[in-house]
């Protein structure tokens, strides 16, 4: 299978998978438990989730390693097993993807604020990300994805760590980087106050190959966010909206956007030239299937 950047350069639009958290929750993950602990205890569940997304038509499936940084794992006493946790995540996704899909290694925020706002030393955070990234790369991920970032300084450290792990591996491992924005009266900002212009410039400067946004408040906002990224960057864009804002029903998060609604809005993303479309919180393999149908019928997807 041609690698990710070659496919993007050839003009193909790719479909990424959807949510991971709600999928593991539906398979019995207790509230408050460590999602990444399942990589060690129930890897077959992760393989099943990835397989469902591959069968729904995803070109890219993620590893269950969003909280796989040592700082995040420390909360559950799993920090010493960081390498094992991340390798198991990549191995499970790989087994499901086989030659049918590419695997991207997910890496979310470390959960600590950097100095001087918080008490986290930048070098320590960067070294932590490097441990995670090396483990994902060692197990053969096709790309690394720094996601759901709100602090540009932290995103930069994670991207630098990803680049370093990729360089050590001696093979091309593209780095994807996305931030999460909220709509305000003055435009879109992350909760740490980063606007899209700063994100587009900063993520590119840090060394990301593909930039964009994930999570947030649904597809309509994401179309505006994508447009602003497109105006400010010529890098390929990755866009993964939530299925709307969750509301609580009987203690469970319910998401408003149906697969059809999301795919209908995603047409606008294709018009904007977004390179990779996928989903975040609340999206399911049915959302992926709807995005796959859209991309394939637009003629932008892989031939055949
Ligand atoms: Zn999300």
């Amino acid at each position: 299978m041609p690698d990710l950047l070659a496919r993007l350069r050839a003009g193909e639009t790719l479909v990424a998978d959807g949510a991971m958290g709600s999928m593991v929750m539906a398979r019995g993950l207790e509230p408050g438990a460590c999602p990444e602990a399942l990589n060690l205890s129930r890897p077959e569940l992760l393989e099943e989730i990835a397989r469902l997304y591959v069968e729904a038509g995803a070109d890219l499936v993620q590893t269950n390693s969003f909280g796989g940084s040592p700082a995040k794992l420390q909360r559950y006493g799993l920090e010493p097993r960081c390498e094992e946790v991340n390798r198991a995540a990549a191995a499970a996704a790989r087994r499901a993807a086989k030659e049918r899909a590419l695997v991207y290694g997910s890496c979310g925020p470390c959960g600590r604020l950097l100095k001087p706002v918080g008490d986290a030393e930048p070098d320590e955070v960067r070294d932590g990300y490097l441990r995670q990234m090396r483990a994902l790369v060692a197990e053969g991920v096709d790309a690394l994805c720094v996601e759901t970032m709100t602090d540009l300084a932290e995103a930069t450290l994670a991207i630098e760590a990803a680049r370093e792990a990729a360089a050590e591996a001696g093979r091309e491992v593209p780095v994807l980087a996305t931030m999460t924005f909220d709509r305000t009266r003055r435009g879109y900002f992350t909760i740490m106050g980063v606007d899209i212009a700063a994100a587009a410039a900063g993520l590119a400067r840090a060394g990301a190959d593909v930039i964009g946004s994930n999570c947030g408040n649904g597809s309509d906002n994401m179309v505006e966010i994508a447009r602003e990224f497109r105006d400010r960057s010529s890098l390929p864009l990755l866009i993964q909206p939530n299925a709307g804002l969750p509301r609580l029903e009987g203690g469970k998060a319910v998401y408003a956007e149906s697969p059809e609604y999301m795919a209908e809005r995603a047409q606008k993303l294709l018009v904007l030239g977004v390179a990779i479309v996928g989903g975040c919180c609340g999206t399911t393999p049915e959302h992926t299937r709807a995005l796959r149908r859209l991309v394939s019928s637009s003629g932008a997807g892989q031939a055949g």
Side-chain angles (χ1 to χ4, degrees), residues 133 144 158-168 172-175 206-209:
M133 302 293 188
L144 291 164
I159 293 166
E160 287 173 358
R163 283 255 81 99
E164 186 171 338
E168 288 170 0
E172 189 175 62
V173 184
V175 179
D209 298 294

Side-chain angles (χ1 to χ4, degrees), residues 3-193:
D3 68 37
L4 177 61
L5 293 182
R7 291 171 74 175
L8 295 180
R9 274 194 292 269
E12 186 182 346
T13 304
L14 299 175
V15 176
D17 58 358
M20 174 64 82
S22 42
M23 297 289 279
V24 292
M25 225 91 92
R27 282 159 183 76
L29 178 75
E30 297 291 329
C34 175
E36 288 76 21
L38 291 177
N39 299 347
L40 305 176
S41 62
R42 304 288 308 279
E44 71 281 4
L45 291 185
L46 288 325
E47 193 176 331
E48 181 202 347
I49 293 168
R51 198 178 55 244
L52 290 172
Y53 280 121
V54 172
E55 285 167 359
D59 297 304
L60 282 159
V61 291
Q62 68 190 300
T63 58
N64 183 42
S65 54
F66 179 81
S69 63
K72 214 59 188 289
L73 292 173
Q74 192 165 31
R75 299 177 181 188
Y76 307 97
L78 281 172
E79 182 268 331
R81 301 180 76 184
C82 171
E83 283 75 11
E84 234 182 306
V85 166
N86 284 286
R87 289 191 73 131
R94 279 249 62 91
R95 284 194 298 276
K98 299 200 178 75
E99 297 304 308
R100 300 180 294 172
L102 300 168
V103 171
Y104 64 109
S106 164
C107 169
C110 74
R112 295 179 61 196
L113 293 174
L114 291 168
K115 281 185 172 177
V117 180
D119 64 353
E121 292 285 355
D123 282 353
E124 198 186 318
V125 170
R126 190 181 177 286
D127 289 351
Y129 280 133
L130 189 53
R131 279 181 68 189
Q132 177 180 14
M133 302 293 188
R134 278 176 174 150
L136 291 168
V137 168
E139 207 61 50
V141 296
D142 300 293
L144 291 164
C145 184
V146 173
E147 57 161 311
T148 326
M149 288 285 161
T150 58
D151 178 4
L152 194 50
E154 183 180 4
T156 298
L157 295 171
I159 293 166
E160 287 173 358
R163 283 255 81 99
E164 186 171 338
E168 288 170 0
R171 63 184 173 95
E172 189 175 62
V173 184
V175 179
L176 289 41
T178 54
M179 300 189 81
T180 301
F181 300 91
D182 294 314
R183 187 191 190 125
T184 76
R185 282 193 304 158
R186 296 182 301 118
Y188 288 95
F189 289 88
T190 72
I191 52 170
M192 299 294 284

Side-chain angles (χ1 to χ4, degrees), residues 216-217 242-248 253-256 281:
N217 304 346
N242 283 355
L245 267 184
R247 59 176 197 283
L248 280 179
V254 179
Y255 289 85
C281 304

Side-chain angles (χ1 to χ4, degrees), residues 214-216 242 280-281:
N214 74 300
C215 218
N242 283 355
C280 198
C281 304

Side-chain angles (χ1 to χ4, degrees), residues 193-219:
V194 181
D195 66 12
I196 295 172
L203 297 175
R205 198 183 313 117
D209 298 294
V210 176
I211 63 173
S213 184
N214 74 300
C215 218
N217 304 346
S219 294

